[in-house]
Amino acid sequence: MADSEAKWYILHTYSGYENKVATDIMKVVENRNLQNLISDVAVPTTKKTVTKDSGKVVEVEEKVYPGYVFVKMVKTDESWQLCRSTRGVTGFVGPEGKPTPLSEEEVRNLEHSAKETTVSFEIGEKVVIRQGVLEGFEGVVKEIDADSNTVVVDVYNMFGEATPTSMEITAIRKQ
């Protein structure tokens, strides 16, 4: 069952247990000195700007793949058992729960999709908000920050007053 090179595998977990599973696996790896078998554990996240009901804008971290943990490991009986027996893990992603490594292309696509955001509008352009508590409201793009994938939109209320609101680029579309 042993491979000589570390590859990425996907563990399925109970919802909400992703970070705990990742932390627990890395603790065991450290305590048992198994860095040669498991070199990395990841829970991909993205930052999202959310406007709360109170109107307060906060930045939250959201899991890109809820219920999944990515493990870079050399597949052996020991590494398989360590991951599989971690509390919160329901199994490996693969046929009949057997670990199936991601191809290099799949790893590249995952990294690329997590980073790529296309800006298809300009400052001063009219947009409609597609999600969140302001869904359906119209506004005008005031600022674009492609590095953090956020925009500031002057959102107009029913009285025609503009309120600058920061949100994720994907939360708006051209009018």
Side-chain angles (χ1 to χ4, degrees), residues 7-26 38 40-45 63-73 82-84 86-94 99-100 102 110:
K7 295 181 180 165
W8 283 101
Y9 296 86
I10 304 173
L11 288 172
H12 186 264
T13 68
Y14 292 121
S15 182
Y17 277 72
E18 301 90 351
N19 292 334
K20 177 100 174 92
V21 165
T23 302
D24 288 352
I25 289 173
M26 287 314 291
I38 298 178
D40 198 5
V41 179
V43 179
T45 59
K63 291 173 184 67
V64 178
Y65 305 104
Y68 297 96
V69 173
F70 294 76
V71 179
K72 188 170 189 179
M73 68 180 200
L82 186 159
C83 291
R84 187 64 187 91
T86 300
R87 185 176 183 173
V89 173
T90 61
F92 278 91
V93 172
T100 304
L102 295 173
L110 288 173

Side-chain angles (χ1 to χ4, degrees), residues 38-51:
I38 298 178
S39 58
D40 198 5
V41 179
V43 179
T45 59
T46 184
K47 292 192 182 211
K48 188 175 186 178
T49 305
V50 177
T51 305

Side-chain angles (χ1 to χ4, degrees), residues 109-128:
N109 288 340
L110 288 173
E111 291 171 353
H112 186 66
S113 67
K115 294 178 185 173
E116 183 181 311
T117 301
T118 306
V119 179
S120 60
F121 40 81
E122 299 174 358
I123 293 174
E125 196 164 11
K126 288 185 178 183
V127 294
V128 175

Side-chain angles (χ1 to χ4, degrees), residues 46-50 58-62 131 150 168 170-171:
T46 184
K47 292 192 182 211
K48 188 175 186 178
T49 305
V50 177
V58 294
E59 193 170 87
V60 296
E61 210 169 70
E62 196 174 78
Q131 60 192 34
T150 59
E168 199 171 306
T170 57

